[in-house]
């Protein structure tokens, strides 16, 4: 049973279309106790087709246009914005792919504080405006390969992670960069309830080796498709590491800590045989439950807008290969 | 059909009997709901009316739909017993037929849209990935049941018919296992399905014990 305690953003919920329709199949079994067998069948099945009509009622998070240096990279075609912003893994807002877009619209991103701390000489605190202004913003059109064997092409806007870390002046002994997502159960239903959040211990933690973090392809993103990020994609600031599986690219980051010890990352803790610390995209190393050799590129929301393609080593970003020249990528998955 | 006996004890409920027309209407309703929803799901996926990934949407819809229908068909006989509503049993076959159709639609979505007819990969995934293997076994059982669901087949197969159709208990367990095994985390929902299935099987434990004797 999902028990939602009222919170500030709960005020939005009365504006939302019938919850049974919204949360669809996830609620079905909970309703078994109350409703007859047929009602069970019809509600579960109707849940999704009906959502088509109810989308307009969702209060939408307000995004703002950004000024940035446009990318001249040609990775065509890109994934439709509407798909990239409504098909998300962000368990803090629910484990179903369409939960985040439904549950995150009231998420407060301003005020925000991102701190860079730990083994640094010059700890930094950035508020919301700093995130958008402290570093010049660039557009980066990257492939995003999810560990679940689907992928998208997304135009991110952000700045290099290396620039942020250098600004904090890391100590020579720092070896790893550890990231943490906001911990705010009042705003994140998945953190309030283990049933909503998939049984993960929050806050979500990710990490990179310092040399990985310094690679110019690794960026902190504050926007996509020309505008600030929507909450379901990790507003106001998230990591994007395009040569690694998507779960490494942690969302809604509040803390970046430098350390000499490798962290245990969230998915590594949950299923160490399936998700490793490195999580480099690698077509030759299968996930224990599915093949990683190929992927389904999602370009749009129609069945005809899906392409089966080969997965590329490092997701096609060969320039990072030298980071791993002395590493056995099969055992360090 | 036996006439309703006068209740000897007050606690005994009167058996329910309804006009045949109602049963027909009930079955027609199941037919129309099941087909319309499946058609609508494919229609919306083809036309991009779903939020996010249409393939995942279809896989979820058909997979959960098949499990729901299987559980409903297993619920029919305990419900008919409890309510003393023997006529209800006619809907069990209708529900079972749609469970098989939804399961086939699930395999179709996986083959045609998730893997886009890469037959080599379809086969290797079925063989190499245990959670797909168990799902496939469940599907084959349902498919055989579907093919032998006609009265003529039932007559012809005689005692073997019941033996074949007893495999539904294996199919529903494998279906739940497939679901449980396929999720990355959040085992709540599949666990609830497994729990309900185990309760439904427990209700007919005597019958199942007989099968395995």
């Amino acid at each position: 049973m999902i028990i939602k305690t009222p919170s500030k953003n709960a005020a939005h919920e009365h504006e939302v279309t019938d919850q049974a329709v919204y949360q669809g199949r996830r609620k079905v079994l909970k309703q078994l106790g109350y409703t007859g067998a047929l009602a069970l069948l019809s509600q579960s099945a109707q849940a999704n087709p009906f959502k088509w009509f109810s989308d307009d009622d969702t209060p939408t998070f307000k995004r703002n246009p950004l000024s940035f240096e446009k990318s001249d990279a040609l990775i065509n075609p890109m994934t439709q914005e509407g798909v990239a912003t409504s098909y998300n893994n962000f368990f803090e807002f629910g484990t179903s792919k369409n939960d985040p877009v439904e549950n995150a619209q009231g998420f407060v991103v301003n005020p925000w504080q991102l701190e860079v701390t730990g083994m640094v000489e010059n700890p930094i605190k950035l508020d919301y405006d700093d995130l958008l202004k402290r570093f010049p913003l660039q557009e980066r059109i990257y492939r995003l390969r999810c560990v679940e064997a689907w992928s998208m092409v997304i135009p991110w806007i952000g700045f290099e992670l290396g620039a942020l870390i250098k600004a904090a002046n890391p100590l020579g002994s720092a070896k790893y960069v550890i990231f943490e997502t906001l911990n705010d159960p009042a705003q994140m239903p998945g953190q309030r309830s283990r049933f909503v959040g998939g049984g993960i211990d929050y806050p979500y933690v990710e990490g990179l080796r310092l040399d990985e973090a310094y690679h110019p392809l690794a960026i902190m993103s504050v926007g996509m498709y020309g505008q600030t990020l929507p909450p379901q994609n990790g507003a106001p600031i998230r990591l994007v590491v395009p040569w690694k599986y998507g779960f490494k690219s942690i969302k809604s980051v509040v803390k970046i800590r430098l350390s000499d010890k490798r962290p245990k990352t969230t998915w590594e803790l949950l299923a160490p045989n399936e998700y490793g610390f490195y999580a480099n995209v690698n077509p030759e190393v299968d996930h224990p439950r599915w093949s990683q050799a190929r992927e389904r590129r999602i370009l749009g929301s129609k069945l005809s807008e899906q392409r089966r393609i080969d997965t590329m080593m490092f997701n096609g970003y060969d320039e990072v290969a030298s980071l791993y020249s002395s590493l056995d990528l099969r055992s360090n998955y | 059909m036996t006439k309703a006996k006068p209740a000897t004890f007050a606690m005994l409920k009167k058996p329910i009997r309804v006009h045949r027309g109602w049963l027909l209407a009930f079955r027609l309703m199941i037919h129309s709901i099941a087909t319309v929803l499946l058609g609508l799901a494919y229609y919306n996926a083809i036309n991009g009316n779903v939020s996010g990934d249409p393939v995942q949407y279809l896989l979820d819809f058909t997979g959960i739909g098949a499990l729901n229908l299987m559980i409903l068909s297993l619920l029919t006989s305990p419900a008919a017993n409890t309510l003393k509503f023997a006529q209800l049993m006619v809907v069990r076959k209708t529900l079972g037929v749609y469970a098989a159709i939804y399961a086939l639609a699930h395999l179709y979505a996986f083959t045609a849209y998730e893997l886009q007819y890469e037959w080599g990969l379809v086969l290797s995934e079925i063989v190499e990935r245990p959670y797909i293997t168990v799902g496939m076994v469940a599907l084959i059982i349902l498919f055989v049941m579907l093919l032998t669901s006609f009265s003529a087949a039932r007559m012809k197969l005689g005692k073997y018919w019941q033996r074949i159709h007893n495999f539904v208990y294996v199919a529903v367990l494998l279906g739940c296992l497939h679901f449980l095994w396929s999720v990355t985390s959040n085992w709540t929902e599949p666990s609830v399905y497994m729990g309900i299935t185990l309760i439904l099987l427990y209700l007919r434990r005597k019958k199942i014990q007989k099968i395995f004797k």
Side-chain angles (χ1 to χ4, degrees):
Chain A
M1 185 90 201
I2 296 171
I3 299 167
K4 293 193 169 182
T5 49
S7 67
K8 263 186 249 170
N9 64 328
H12 297 280
E13 291 189 4
H14 73 272
E15 300 161 37
V16 175
T17 306
D18 188 347
Q19 220 178 3
V21 174
Y22 247 73
Q23 303 198 330
R25 62 185 183 82
R26 299 212 164 261
K27 288 253 161 154
V28 167
L29 277 172
K30 287 135 205 161
Q31 289 165 347
L32 184 67
Y34 318 123
T35 57
L38 258 184
L40 164 74
L41 171 66
S42 59
Q43 286 211 354
S44 77
Q46 280 170 5
N48 282 324
F50 272 27
K51 202 169 67 205
W52 174 25
F53 301 106
S54 61
D55 269 355
D56 296 343
D57 300 340
T58 314
T60 315
F61 178 87
K62 191 173 175 327
R63 295 169 63 190
N64 298 310
L66 287 169
S67 56
F68 54 91
E69 182 194 334
K70 270 201 83 73
S71 165
D72 52 5
L74 291 170
I75 308 182
N76 279 322
M78 282 192 288
T79 299
Q80 287 167 15
E81 182 175 4
V83 178
T85 57
S86 61
Y87 186 75
N88 309 97
N89 278 322
F90 198 174
F91 283 17
E92 281 83 342
F93 292 105
T95 52
S96 188
K97 298 282 194 295
N98 50 16
D99 284 343
V101 68
E102 288 168 14
N103 297 335
Q105 296 308 306
F107 189 57
V108 178
V109 299
N110 189 6
W112 193 267
Q113 193 178 72
L114 167 64
E115 57 173 337
V116 184
T117 171
M119 301 177 74
V120 293
E121 274 176 25
N122 174 32
I124 301 177
K125 280 182 181 160
L126 299 177
D127 65 17
Y128 182 79
D129 288 332
D130 296 334
L131 299 179
L132 305 184
K133 286 174 189 150
R134 169 117 181 214
F135 302 93
L137 301 180
Q138 306 169 18
E139 184 177 51
R140 298 278 182 97
I141 303 173
Y142 282 161
R143 292 175 288 274
L144 173 88
R145 171 60 157 81
C146 179
V147 72
E148 297 165 344
W150 54 267
S151 64
M152 295 184 180
V153 177
I154 298 172
W156 301 107
I157 296 157
F159 52 87
E160 285 179 16
L161 171 61
L164 176 60
I165 294 175
K166 269 178 206 144
N169 208 0
L171 303 178
S173 46
K175 295 274 186 304
Y176 292 95
V177 187
I178 304 164
F179 303 83
E180 241 179 72
T181 295
L182 177 71
N183 189 33
D184 186 356
Q187 289 206 80
M188 294 172 152
Q191 293 180 339
R192 281 203 297 278
S193 155
R194 292 185 69 79
F195 298 107
V196 181
I200 285 177
D201 285 324
Y202 293 107
Y204 194 92
V205 171
E206 259 309 335
L208 295 171
R209 267 184 358 210
L210 188 56
D211 59 337
E212 294 178 315
Y214 274 137
H215 197 282
L217 282 172
I219 61 166
M220 294 304 293
S221 167
V222 295
M224 64 197 295
Y225 297 92
Q227 292 187 296
T228 50
L229 290 172
Q232 61 272 25
N233 294 83
I237 188 162
R238 65 170 294 169
L239 177 68
V240 178
V241 205
W243 70 92
K244 291 176 180 283
Y245 292 122
F247 69 86
K248 292 296 288 184
S249 292
I250 183 171
K251 293 169 172 168
S252 303
V253 180
V254 290
K255 197 190 243 183
I256 297 177
R257 191 162 58 84
L258 280 94
S259 170
D260 54 354
K261 290 183 191 69
R262 189 169 110 178
K264 279 279 181 201
T265 59
T266 296
W267 280 100
E268 199 183 359
L269 281 168
L270 201 72
N273 59 325
E274 300 192 342
Y275 311 100
F277 173 80
Y278 283 96
N280 291 319
V281 176
N282 188 341
E284 283 153 30
V285 178
D286 282 351
H287 185 280
R289 287 182 286 157
W290 54 82
S291 165
Q292 296 289 29
R294 285 168 65 80
E295 66 201 49
R296 183 161 51 83
R297 174 66 51 82
I298 301 174
L299 297 171
S301 60
K302 294 183 186 178
L303 283 175
S304 57
E305 292 164 330
Q306 320 286 317
R307 307 264 181 282
R308 289 286 302 176
I309 53 173
D310 282 331
T311 290
M312 294 181 282
M313 189 66 209
F314 300 119
N315 203 18
Y317 299 98
D318 298 327
E319 54 267 59
V320 301
S322 59
L323 291 172
Y324 309 105
S325 48
S326 58
L327 197 70
D328 176 3
L329 293 172
R330 194 160 283 277
S331 53
N332 294 286
Y333 49 88
Chain B
M1 283 288 177
T2 53
K3 267 191 177 174
K5 287 175 197 159
T8 38
F9 301 101
M11 59 180 288
L12 281 182
K13 256 188 291 177
K14 213 177 142 191
I16 302 172
R17 266 190 76 71
V18 295
H19 190 272
R20 278 175 55 193
W22 286 110
L23 292 175
L24 187 68
F26 191 31
R27 280 165 69 195
L28 272 177
M29 194 175 82
I30 296 173
H31 278 291
S32 34
I33 292 174
T35 45
V36 166
L37 292 181
L38 185 60
L40 209 58
Y42 268 85
Y43 175 84
N44 284 335
I46 286 165
N47 291 294
N49 294 333
V50 297
S51 84
D53 176 10
V55 179
Q56 191 64 46
Y57 163 80
L58 271 187
L59 287 172
D60 288 351
F61 178 84
T62 52
I64 302 271
L67 271 182
N68 285 347
L69 286 157
M70 246 192 295
I71 284 174
L72 285 177
S73 81
L74 285 178
L75 203 60
T76 314
S77 89
N81 277 332
T82 314
L83 300 171
K84 300 201 168 192
F85 186 15
Q87 291 168 305
L88 191 63
M89 291 305 288
V90 297
V91 304
R92 187 171 66 174
K93 176 172 148 184
T94 321
L95 291 165
V97 163
Y98 280 105
I101 291 173
Y102 272 58
L104 288 170
H106 186 65
L107 177 67
Y108 178 73
F110 179 69
T111 310
Y113 301 120
E114 177 69 51
L115 300 184
Q116 300 188 356
Y117 299 111
E118 287 176 21
W119 291 108
L121 190 57
V122 172
L123 289 178
S124 69
E125 291 287 274
I126 288 171
V127 175
E128 285 172 27
R129 315 289 163 189
Y131 85 98
I132 298 182
T133 316
V134 298
M136 195 63 202
V137 173
L139 178 85
I140 290 169
I141 293 171
L142 289 178
F143 186 57
V144 172
M145 288 174 69
L146 179 69
L147 292 179
T148 56
S149 63
F150 306 97
S151 305
R154 185 170 192 163
M155 296 289 194
K156 207 164 183 185
L157 286 165
K159 62 176 182 181
Y160 295 108
W161 188 90
Q162 190 58 53
R163 287 192 192 167
I164 293 169
H165 285 243
N166 282 339
F167 273 93
V168 70
Y169 305 128
V170 180
V172 69
L173 278 175
L174 292 180
C176 287
L177 185 63
H178 172 68
F179 185 21
L180 199 63
W181 217 333
S182 68
V183 294
T184 43
S185 78
N186 202 13
W187 292 276
T188 319
E189 194 186 2
S191 307
V192 171
Y193 270 86
M194 187 58 105
I196 288 174
T197 297
L198 290 176
I199 291 169
L200 288 172
L201 295 185
Y202 180 76
L203 289 177
R204 35 170 74 74
R205 59 193 178 283
K206 283 183 185 149
K207 187 189 168 188
I208 293 172
Q209 275 167 0
K210 259 187 222 163
I211 297 170
F212 287 102
K213 258 178 193 168

